[in-house]
């Protein structure tokens, strides 16, 4: 007990958000008082150092003092459990503003910029209308710009600013002067309103827990935000797009407290800073490296590990984190570009909220087991420190979390829309064996089942794909001022004759519809034409045979 009561002088270590580090500076000392100490000792301790004992989070016995003498007086009083410097945290990597091209929007309100939805297996989530409704997500970050168009209709609670003391008028100011928290919040919960990007869980309740003012924060801010996310805001999921390369007692205690209350926590695994080279193994990043937290690495659009993403044992799962788009914090209709494990973590946070919304009571251990069972293994087989267990697969994750809620009806249809077979209760991403009659279409041969993009929400549809049988051109001869073509075609088709001069320069094309079966068609010749090429196309302009060459004049 004497050892943990001694003052801990910790070495100066890099501290990072989005993997970037500040100088090893600190602002006073964090002290944790022994709740089991007699009341007279605690009272004496508080009187011994007024007014320098500042509350960080009193219910946890966490305070801050400004000088080492105060720490020593607390130690001598017998009221001290531990002390450590309150290190400053600096955001160095923040989003860059870019204009957004609204022409990239598709009918669902999502954009081609959201390249990460397909590799994350999000299609079934959108179709099944799983949106995270009823789940509260805390964002420990730089605040949020509520006025952005992407947050119209999104539930955002008041939250709090932990960069100032309790009772300060600015305590309620969670505005974002950096953009990091706004960007992260947008990836999770941007509205599906047709105006820009679409968050993966647009119906969650967001709680902005501001731990960074401008680009600066501190361990005390982060810890207070974590404690308060549970005790005051009752968050079920916590996003921590931040990290430090040292295991601080204060941070660890806060994480253990939240985990004990059943909070699902997700954190960024960390980034190499600009110009930094990977000479050896990357340092562990906390809180991602804590066993109670899911650490997230980043992949690029080709699903390779992003060059900046830390590679170490704190990486539990990977998600896209490069070429990301998010709301801009200074303009209601502009967007910014960003990269980093800070922007991979929110995708896993959204997945946790989605799973929790369809399986209330999901525990952190159960969530991590679901992750492990459903990821897409990339890189070396099994776990590795680059990808972790693999790439997040949200559709599979939610299907395993609640098979009944996510079950699909699979429908097989013929080319004309006739239903050939139906299967109910099918897990997303799987295709049962079709054991019905082989689809038939006159003049065509069945090839394979093709997914129907316009499938009814909640269902998977497959339509029979056919290839036309071959046509045959029997002859093509000149008869007066016309070209007589005799052919046999299995389906109604279009006969096309292209005319060329003596130098093989194209002159004109003539088309004529023909019925299925054997037929002879007359097509007018073109002045100056020396050769012709005859082809037959089906109604989709797919060629039914090779080109038939004709010499028109010697």
């Amino acid at each position: 007990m004497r050892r943990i009561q001694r003052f801990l002088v910790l070495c100066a270590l890099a501290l990072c958000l989005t993997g970037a580090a500040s100088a090893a500076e600190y602002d006073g000392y964090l002290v944790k008082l022994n709740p089991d100490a007699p009341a007279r000792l605690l009272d004496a301790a508080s009187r011994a150092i007024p007014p320098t004992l500042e509350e960080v989070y009193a219910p946890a016995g966490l305070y801050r003092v400004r000088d080492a003498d105060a720490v020593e007086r607390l130690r001598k009083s017998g009221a001290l459990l531990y002390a450590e410097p309150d290190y400053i945290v600096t955001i160095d990597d923040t989003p860059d503003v870019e204009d957004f091209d609204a022409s990239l929007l598709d009918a669902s309100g999502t954009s081609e910029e959201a390249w990460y939805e397909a590799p994350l297996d999000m299609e079934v989530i959108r179709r099944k209308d799983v949106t995270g409704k009823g789940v509260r997500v805390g964002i420990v970050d730089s605040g949020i710009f509520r006025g952005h168009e992407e947050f119209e209709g999104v539930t955002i609670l008041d939250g709090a600013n932990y960069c100032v003391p309790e009772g300060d008028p600015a305590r309620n100011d969670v505005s974002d002067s950096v953009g990091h928290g706004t960007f992260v919040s947008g990836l999770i919960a941007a509205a599906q309103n047709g105006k820009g990007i679409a968050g993966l869980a647009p119906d969650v309740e967001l709680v902005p827990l501001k731990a960074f003012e401008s680009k600066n924060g501190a361990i005390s801010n982060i810890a207070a935000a974590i404690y308060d996310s549970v005790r005051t805001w009752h968050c079920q999921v916590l996003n921590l797009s931040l990290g430090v390369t040292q295991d601080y007692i204060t941070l660890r205690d806060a994480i253990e407290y939240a985990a004990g209350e059943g909070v699902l926590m997700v954190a960024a695994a960390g980034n190499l800073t600009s110009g930094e080279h990977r000479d050896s193994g990357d340092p562990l990043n906390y809180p991602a490296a804590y066993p109670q937290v899911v650490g997230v690495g980043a992949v690029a659009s080709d699903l390779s590990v992003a060059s900046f993403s830390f590679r170490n044992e704190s990486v539990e799962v990977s998600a896209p984190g490069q070429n990301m788009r998010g709301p801009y914090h200074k303009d209601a209709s502009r967007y910014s570009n960003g990269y980093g494990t800070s922007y991979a973590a929110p995708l896993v946070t959204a997945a946790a909220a989605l799973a929790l919304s369809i399986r209330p009571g999901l525990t952190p251990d159960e969530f991590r087991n679901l992750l492990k069972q459903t990821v897409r293994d990339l890189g070396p087989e099994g776990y590795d420190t680059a990808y972790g267990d693999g790439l997040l697969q949200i559709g599979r994750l939610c299907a395993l979390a609640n098979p009944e809620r996510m079950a699909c009806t699979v429908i097989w249809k013929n080319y004309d829309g006739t239903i050939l077979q139906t299967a109910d209760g099918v897990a997303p991403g799987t295709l049962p064996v079709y054991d019905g009659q082989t689809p038939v279409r006159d003049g065509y041969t069945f090839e394979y089942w093709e997914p129907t993009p316009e499938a009814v929400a909640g269902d998977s549809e497959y339509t029979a794909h056919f290839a036309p049988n071959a046509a045959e051109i029997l002859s093509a001869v000149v008869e007066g001022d016309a070209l007589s073509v005799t052919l046999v075609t299995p389906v109604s088709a279009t006969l096309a004759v292209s005319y060329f001069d003596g130098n093989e320069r194209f002159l004109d094309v003539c088309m004529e519809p023909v019925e299925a079966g054997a037929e002879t068609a007359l097509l007018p010749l073109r002045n100056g034409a020396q050769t012709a090429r005859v082809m037959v196309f089906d109604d989709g302009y797919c060629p039914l045979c090779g080109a038939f060459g004709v010499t028109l004049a010697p």
Side-chain angles (χ1 to χ4, degrees):
M1 189 68 173
R2 287 183 177 274
R3 291 187 62 188
I4 64 172
Q5 285 181 336
R6 290 176 183 167
F7 169 52
L8 305 175
V9 180
L10 302 178
C11 60
L13 289 157
L15 209 54
C16 69
L17 185 68
T18 70
S22 71
E25 300 177 354
Y26 59 91
D27 181 18
Y29 301 89
L30 287 167
V31 295
K32 183 161 185 175
L33 303 185
N34 185 353
D36 297 326
R40 60 182 177 78
L41 290 181
L42 296 177
D43 182 60
S46 64
R47 289 200 311 272
I49 53 175
T52 60
L53 189 63
E54 302 170 5
E55 179 183 339
V56 174
Y57 203 74
L62 192 60
Y63 296 85
R64 181 169 55 191
V65 296
R66 293 297 177 179
D67 55 68
D69 288 342
V71 174
E72 181 62 15
R73 289 197 295 274
L74 282 171
R75 186 189 69 79
K76 289 180 178 179
S77 75
L80 183 66
L81 272 180
Y82 66 76
E84 61 185 354
D86 188 15
Y87 278 103
I88 301 297
V89 186
T90 299
I91 304 173
D92 290 337
D93 294 335
T94 52
D96 296 320
V97 62
E98 288 189 359
D99 287 318
F100 182 78
D101 185 356
S103 68
L104 295 176
L105 291 177
D106 66 22
S108 69
T110 60
S111 140
E112 292 178 355
E113 297 290 355
W115 62 269
Y116 48 82
E117 289 207 14
L120 289 181
D121 189 28
M122 272 294 293
E123 180 186 1
V124 68
I125 298 297
R126 299 295 194 201
R127 286 196 285 109
K128 298 293 287 185
D129 197 30
V130 179
T131 61
K133 190 175 182 61
V135 177
R136 187 168 293 185
V137 179
I139 312 294
V140 180
D141 217 295
S142 61
I144 191 170
F145 173 38
R146 300 174 184 270
H148 198 280
E149 63 186 8
E150 284 296 357
F151 299 125
E152 294 175 6
V154 175
T155 302
I156 304 175
L157 277 66
D158 292 340
N161 179 3
Y162 300 95
C163 301
V164 297
E166 184 77 44
D168 190 304
R171 186 76 168 186
N172 297 323
D173 179 12
V174 294
S175 60
D176 187 0
S177 63
V178 178
H180 194 272
T182 298
F183 197 107
V184 165
S185 299
L187 291 173
I188 295 171
Q192 289 182 286
N193 54 15
K195 294 183 179 180
I197 67 167
L200 300 189
D203 285 339
V204 299
E205 298 177 352
L206 289 180
V207 184
L209 306 166
K210 184 172 179 176
F212 297 86
E213 188 65 66
S214 182
K215 290 190 175 185
N216 295 323
I219 290 291
S220 57
N221 304 348
I222 298 168
I226 294 171
Y227 281 115
D228 218 23
S229 72
V230 181
R231 292 179 65 99
T232 300
W233 300 108
H234 310 293
C235 295
Q236 298 154 279
V237 184
L238 202 57
N239 188 85
L240 298 151
S241 287
L242 53 90
V244 296
T245 53
Q246 173 68 25
D247 179 5
Y248 291 101
I249 302 173
T250 302
L251 182 59
R252 188 197 323 150
D253 281 356
I255 291 294
E256 289 177 351
Y257 169 76
E261 296 296 319
V263 178
L264 279 60
M265 289 176 285
V266 180
N271 310 326
L272 292 176
T273 57
S274 179
E276 186 178 0
H277 298 287
R278 182 176 279 110
D279 297 325
S280 59
D282 299 326
L284 291 177
N285 209 45
Y286 298 90
Y290 292 130
Q292 303 89 349
V293 180
V294 177
V296 185
V299 300
S301 55
D302 62 358
L303 303 188
S304 64
V305 178
S307 60
F308 52 79
S309 184
F310 270 9
R311 305 176 188 195
N312 56 42
E313 289 77 11
S314 67
V315 180
E316 187 167 344
V317 69
S318 296
Q322 197 163 16
N323 299 326
M324 309 297 281
R325 291 289 189 275
Y328 182 49
H329 67 294
K330 292 184 178 180
D331 191 301
S333 59
R334 297 185 74 185
Y335 295 77
S336 53
N337 179 56
Y339 68 91
T341 57
S342 277
Y343 306 135
L347 306 184
V348 180
T349 297
L354 293 171
L356 196 56
S357 72
I358 61 172
R359 185 170 164 181
L362 182 70
T363 69
D365 285 344
E366 289 172 340
F367 173 65
R368 297 173 81 166
N369 286 334
L370 289 173
L371 273 178
K372 191 177 182 67
Q373 293 178 65
T374 57
V375 292
R376 174 183 171 187
D377 193 11
L378 297 174
E381 185 176 354
Y383 178 85
D384 61 83
T385 57
Y387 289 101
D389 287 318
L391 180 68
L392 173 68
Q393 298 291 279
I394 299 179
R396 295 181 195 174
L397 173 73
C398 289
L400 191 58
N402 188 336
E404 184 177 350
R405 169 68 173 82
M406 297 299 295
C408 292
T409 297
V410 176
I411 302 171
W412 290 268
K413 292 183 176 181
N414 207 349
Y415 73 96
D416 59 359
T418 303
I419 295 177
L420 301 175
Q421 184 173 310
T422 299
D424 296 318
V426 179
T430 62
L431 178 60
V433 175
Y434 175 80
D435 54 10
Q437 294 182 341
T438 301
V440 175
R441 183 179 182 184
D442 290 343
Y444 290 80
T445 299
F446 171 73
E447 286 194 322
Y448 56 85
W449 292 105
E450 185 172 31
T452 307
E454 301 82 12
V456 177
D459 290 336
S460 293
E461 287 187 7
Y462 293 84
T463 301
H465 178 86
F466 293 87
N469 296 332
E472 183 180 3
I473 299 172
L474 302 177
S475 65
V477 296
V478 176
E479 292 185 3
D481 58 356
L483 182 66
S484 175
V485 180
T486 301
L487 71 155
V488 177
T489 174
V491 296
S492 298
T494 298
L495 181 65
V497 179
S498 300
Y499 294 103
F500 302 85
D501 66 13
N503 295 316
E504 287 296 305
R505 288 192 297 247
F506 172 76
L507 296 176
D508 200 359
V509 63
C510 186
M511 296 185 180
E512 185 75 20
V514 291
E515 297 298 324
E519 187 163 333
T520 297
L522 294 175
L523 294 95
L525 293 174
R526 290 294 180 262
N527 292 333
Q530 299 293 306
T531 60
R533 292 181 195 144
V534 184
M535 292 192 70
V536 182
F537 298 90
D538 70 2
D539 55 7
Y541 288 95
C542 176
L544 299 179
C545 63
F548 188 94
V550 183
T551 299
L552 302 177

